[in-house]
Amino acid sequence: MTETVLLVGGGGREHAIARAVDDSSDAELYACASNRNPGIASLAEGFEELSETDADAIVDYAADVDATLAAIGPESALNAGVADALDAAGVYAFGPQEAEARIETDKAFQREFMAEHDVPGCPDFATFEDPEEAADYIREYDGDLAIKPRGLTGGKGVRVIGDQITEEEGIEYVLDSDYEEFVLEERLVGEEFTIQAFVADGQYRVSPAVQDHKRAYEGDEGPNTGGMGSYSDATFELPFMTEADYTESVEVIDAVVEAMPDYKGILYGQFMLTDEGPKVVEFNARFGDPEAMNTLPVLDTDFVSILQAARDGEELPELTFSNQATVCKYAVPDGYPTDPEAGAKVKIDEESVARAAARATVETSGGEPRDVDGDALLFYASVDAREDGIYTTTSRSFAVVGLADTITGAEAIAEEALEKAGEEGLRVRHDIGKADLLQQRIDHMNELRGE
Ligand code: AMP
Ligand code: GLY
């Protein structure tokens, strides 16, 4: 049967979901978001501009288009009960209901849930409703702490003592910021990575690990962002981790799924690979952005067939992936994330991006250039398509993804694609996926493990 899939959200992650729906054998796509993402709009039969948190309007639009499935991109929608409302209206939403989404939207709940259900990998933590008590805890704690506002902050609210800030600045942060409630937890030291699992009916299917780059500037400097870019390898692991590290992380996902039998949608585990193995930095209740752009292009399994099985209570299909490495780089407005320039016109040469794949070359270890085979993809993100062109919003503008046999090859393709797309007036972290940065990650892990 033809499925009519309603997609909620208008960023790069949702453009990746839109492509996955479009690539599925028998599905029609409709989409709604607060910004008109031209990439999604060009794939969809219909596009409605509405707020991702307006559950009533989304349910009305789902009814108008006779949606049979929904895919929810952003956490703001989950937090607003959009999945609950769609489910209640008879449209199966691939995304958790508000109660289960708390695993992302309420960081105190997240840690207490882990402790209560003995989910492995939980750091030492304490929760606070009074900033003064949080400040006292920071003063008395022996060691560095990560300071997390309890609710959603778009990935920008966490401060880590000993990394971005001093103990004094941490105390000021809990006392002077607009947040009232905090989770304080042991600072984890290591290399971060993400595993995204498709979850439904107590079952789950995992995908290759991805490493995002949260810091705004090259060399991991500057403030945290929603994510500047990310890479994955041709295997399930990343170059700095072992198969055993990956397997241990999946045991964490297994424990969450077992403890939350009603969870459905994507469960995103953010891990820190420490000298004691993987620990949980956080869970998200949706695909990562940018990580969806690494994972969905290499997913060979028909995306909509996974949603159908989830809805119908059937066994989820075993997932197959194309065994290619991916590198994703975001172009963001000047000033992002602290003072982004919204409303600037961006010129993107979409047509030329695909040709980047044919033209990329990498230096071999002998210094000889070698042509790389692969693909380049462009994903529009938080831009707004108006009659006279495409404009920036306050968030990330577009991303390119290179796909090839190796991370280095994929990186070369991503750079070619960026050059073709045009990044004038925008900022990119060119270091993502480059051999130097990869080697630093490997050396860091070896050093921590005493190897
Ligand atoms: P979150 O908003 O929870 O994703 O946190 C943003 C970033 O803060 C993470 O990607 C980490 O880099 C960092 N972070 C969060 N918790 C910890 C922790 N316990 N130890 C060290 N870094 C952390
Ligand atoms: N890339 C981080 C996130 O989606 O939360």
Side-chain angles (χ1 to χ4, degrees), residues 107 146 148 158 160 185-188 192 214 281-282:
K107 288 184 199 284
K148 301 181 162 186
V158 175
V160 181
E185 63 189 35
E186 133 191 40
R187 176 189 176 195
L188 302 168
E192 282 188 74
K214 295 246 177 207
V281 173
E282 65 164 346

Side-chain angles (χ1 to χ4, degrees), residues 324-336:
Q324 281 177 302
T326 67
V327 172
C328 174
K329 300 196 190 202
Y330 251 125
V332 304
D334 269 337
Y336 174 83

